[in-house]
């Protein structure tokens, strides 16, 4: 009887672990992706506004330009908590803006 309880408990724990680990990984990954998406959108919106108001005339807008023109406060990577390099830039091509992160 005691051996059966051990086998049942081990099986239940194994099933919980098998289900829990991938689920937690997926939740954490989606959370981090959303954090990066929000940060990227904030930076791109600031670049669009700067370009539309013609204070940033280049098709390559650096974070330094956005900081200097007061369109953005110092931004950090939400996952690593480190500040983005000021040489990080937003590239404008047609009507698309893309954040290029420079380390």
């Amino acid at each position: 009887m005691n051996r059966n309880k051990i086998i049942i408990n081990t099986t239940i724990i194994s099933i919980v672990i098998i289900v829990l680990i991938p689920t937690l990984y997926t939740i954490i990954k989606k959370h981090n992706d959303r954090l990066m998406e929000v940060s990227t959108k904030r930076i791109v919106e600031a670049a669009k506004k700067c370009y539309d108001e013609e204070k940033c005339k280049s098709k390559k807008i650096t974070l330094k330009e956005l900081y200097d023109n007061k369109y953005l406060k110092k931004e950090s990577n939400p996952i690593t908590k480190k500040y983005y390099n000021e040489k990080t830039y937003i590239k404008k091509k047609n009507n698309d803006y893309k954040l290029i992160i420079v380390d």
Side-chain angles (χ1 to χ4, degrees):
M1 185 75 171
N2 194 16
R3 183 173 163 87
N4 283 341
K5 283 185 175 183
I6 292 173
I7 291 175
I8 290 173
N9 287 337
T10 304
T11 304
I12 290 173
I13 291 172
S14 297
I15 290 172
V16 167
I17 288 174
I18 288 172
V19 170
L20 192 64
I21 289 176
T23 303
L24 286 176
Y25 174 78
T26 303
I27 290 170
I28 291 170
K29 182 164 179 9
K30 283 183 180 180
H31 176 72
N32 288 342
D33 290 345
R34 287 182 185 141
L35 286 174
M36 286 304 296
E37 182 180 346
V38 168
S39 178
T40 300
K41 281 184 179 181
R42 184 181 310 117
I43 294 169
V44 167
E45 288 299 319
K48 283 181 184 179
K49 187 174 180 183
C50 185
Y51 189 81
D52 289 344
E53 292 177 2
E54 297 180 358
K55 289 189 179 179
C56 300
K57 300 182 190 235
S58 171
K59 300 272 184 188
K60 182 179 172 183
I61 304 165
T62 64
L63 286 183
K64 182 166 178 28
E65 286 179 85
L66 295 175
Y67 297 153
D68 292 345
N69 290 322
K70 308 283 188 232
Y71 282 98
L72 198 61
K73 292 181 181 175
K74 192 105 169 138
E75 279 289 316
S76 63
N77 182 316
I79 297 166
T80 63
K81 307 294 185 219
K82 293 183 181 178
Y83 288 114
Y84 288 117
N85 186 333
E86 289 187 346
K87 293 179 183 176
T88 294
Y89 62 94
I90 299 87
K91 186 175 184 179
K92 181 184 186 308
K93 186 174 183 183
N94 298 329
N95 231 4
D96 295 328
Y97 292 81
K98 184 174 182 178
L99 177 66
I100 309 296
I101 298 174
V102 177
D103 288 328

